[in-house]
Amino acid sequence: MSDLIYKKRNIYDTITPEELARANAYAEEYKLFLNAGKTERESVTEAIRIAEEHGFVPYERGTQVKPGDKVYKSLRGKALFLAVIGNLPLTEGLNIAGAHVDSPRLDLKQVPLYEDGGMAYFRTHYYGGIKKYQWVTLPLALHGVVAKANGEVVPVNIGESDDEPIFMISDLLPHLGRDQNKKTLGEAFTGENLHIILGSTPTGGEKDSDRFRLTVLNFLHEKYGIIEEDFLSAELTAVPAGAARDLGLDRSIIAAYGHDDRSCAFAELRALLDIETPEKTAICILADKEEVGSDGVSGMQSSAFETFIADLAGGLCFVAQAFEKSFCLSADVCNAFDPNFAEVSEKSNAAFINHGMGIMKFTGSGGKSGASDASAETVAKIRRLFAENGVAWQLAELGKVDQGGGGTIAKYMANRNIETIDAGVPILSMHAPWELASKLDCYMTYKGVLAIYGDK
Ligand code: MN
Ligand code: MN
């Protein structure tokens, strides 16, 4: 084949047996990370646990950092910044990788509990972009925290192990589905009807009221010491129950909840653990709230990032200089070409499974609206770095022009005057309860982040 022609390559055609073994070992570690964290809080807790095992310590304000120091800053337990201090001053720029650890899910309403038809239910308000029909007749687990008025914060986790119960939203039987079938996909299931079944045992006698609610409250009080009013100050969420699993006879794919964006979050974290003292300070961001617009104190529009860098650099006055010379890999998933829905993709610019990390020069929708759009020079830099470091990668675009679109934290980083590009793992069934990612693509994303951290 002529070198003049650009062609995407399947990693299986080039990978050595040794590297394939490393990729498979990496996938096993990644699955453990997925199973340990199904909410942003759980993922942050797990990331801190892993980081501390590798010598990271919480950054204490006022401490002067020196090359080789490994520090982290938790943003109220919901987002995390980690840093390995480089040899150069921070004003010479940072190499940043930013992923998010929140995923689409069903949050409980603040007054969630009710009863009807001899059953107790939780009402929900979905979080992020979901296709609602995918969440019915699906085993669900309850995760989250209840913050009591006395300051105590109680973690909740029910439905993950085989001896625990699961929860579920019911669907209509097809025999009575005539009217439902006439509705559009978006209309057939409404957000206000995603009610989770909690139980069907009454407490008390026939004349008592609220008998089914009371049973639920009795259980929760016994197990967690909470009362119904405590829901007002809770963050409880229903997520798909069960562990990440290998998919396919060849076990080449992982089916899991939350590949978006834990596949990139873990790649960033793992790579940060594997670097020696870099030239430029390496920063790993595990952000919250990406799925709902990156707002809030734990989202990437928050000034918490400036504060963290100012602390490390010795003052807010150094932050703008540091950012001007920094680079950010906005590590977020992209869509993999799906032959079942080929019509939404334009094959020349689509990412394919097992073809490596997907680099997105721009995201946005309808004429690149809302995209930070990395410069040609930035893409050239990625080409050079990844070629030098044996990173399999591919250029990717989120579907055909005018087909839809989406965004990441990229523009919020770029708006800080940080050179930024989107890159991540190609995903099948993105935002579905069970998303699919190939082990090789996950591993190559780790290698890609490693190359960024090591860039001089
Ligand atoms: Mn994402
Ligand atoms: Mn997403």
Side-chain angles (χ1 to χ4, degrees), residues 20-74:
L20 187 58
R22 281 198 292 277
N24 284 325
Y26 173 86
E28 293 307 307
E29 257 191 86
Y30 170 45
K31 283 189 284 183
L32 295 179
F33 181 74
L34 283 167
N35 296 341
K38 289 193 169 181
T39 65
E40 70 282 353
R41 286 178 193 264
E42 291 173 353
S43 293
V44 165
T45 301
E46 176 66 2
I48 290 174
R49 190 191 67 75
I50 295 171
E52 287 186 341
E53 267 184 15
H54 288 77
F56 282 75
V57 295
Y59 177 74
E60 306 235 2
R61 179 158 291 150
T63 313
Q64 212 167 4
V65 290
K66 56 182 188 311
D69 280 358
K70 298 174 174 182
V71 295
Y72 69 83
K73 167 79 181 170
S74 164

Side-chain angles (χ1 to χ4, degrees), residues 423-443:
V425 178
I427 301 285
L428 287 163
S429 307
M430 194 197 293
H431 282 207
W434 295 95
E435 300 176 314
L436 308 182
S438 99
K439 292 180 178 177
L440 288 184
D441 293 333
C442 291
Y443 174 70

